[in-house]
Amino acid sequence: MTDGPASVTTQEVFRLIYRSHNRIPERERKAELGSIFSVSRSGNKKRGVTGALLTHQDWFVQALEGDEATVRGLYERIYRDARHERVSVIETGTVEARVFGRWSMAKVSDDGESDIPLLMNVDKGGISPAAPRPTTPEQENVLEFMRNSVRGGATVG
């Protein structure tokens, strides 16, 4: 889990959720996804963007939260990225607060378990594995919507 700026968790925020078909060849996915996460976490933190990326077979579903212009600009870059095809927005709007306020980008699998360990600081003395499901009920609601969108349970517009 990556802490974002403290001020980003208590204000109205724009959220965009999209899904796309993954074009990364399977033999290159692990390395490419690792690179994507490293770059995304750093860049998103600087931009004040939080969110989660769910992977399911050959599909991505991603929630992005932040300033509307910043989030829409990031989505446009993703839309043009050759690693994605069949990109479609499945939800947009302003919400009361960030659901993923502490995640600059978290990777979540379709079964609800984290694909990569999320770590946290322990009394400034080190790190330890995060809880197996370090999510709130609000996060679970959004993540379930994301999971359903790749399983055919959500209407995609």
Side-chain angles (χ1 to χ4, degrees), residues 101-117:
R102 296 189 66 204
W103 298 356
S104 59
M105 186 51 54
K107 183 179 180 197
V108 181
S109 67
D110 69 325
D111 63 4
E113 295 300 320
S114 299
D115 287 341
I116 54 177

Side-chain angles (χ1 to χ4, degrees), residues 52-137:
L53 175 68
L54 180 137
T55 59
H56 174 74
Q57 298 172 357
D58 291 336
W59 290 91
F60 294 125
V61 180
Q62 185 170 21
L64 300 167
E65 300 172 330
D67 169 75
E68 183 172 356
T70 302
V71 168
R72 288 189 184 277
L74 183 55
Y75 171 76
E76 287 302 318
R77 284 185 32 214
I78 292 164
Y79 185 86
R80 292 187 306 267
D81 189 317
R83 296 172 292 195
H84 300 265
E85 65 183 359
R86 294 185 268 169
V87 183
S88 60
V89 173
I90 55 177
E91 181 180 270
T92 62
T94 302
V95 294
E96 282 186 29
R98 292 177 192 258
V99 170
F100 302 110
R102 296 189 66 204
W103 298 356
S104 59
M105 186 51 54
K107 183 179 180 197
V108 181
S109 67
D110 69 325
D111 63 4
E113 295 300 320
S114 299
D115 287 341
I116 54 177
L118 301 176
L119 302 175
M120 58 185 169
N121 290 326
V122 177
D123 299 327
K124 300 180 186 177
I127 56 175
S128 69
R133 293 179 62 110
T135 55
T136 66

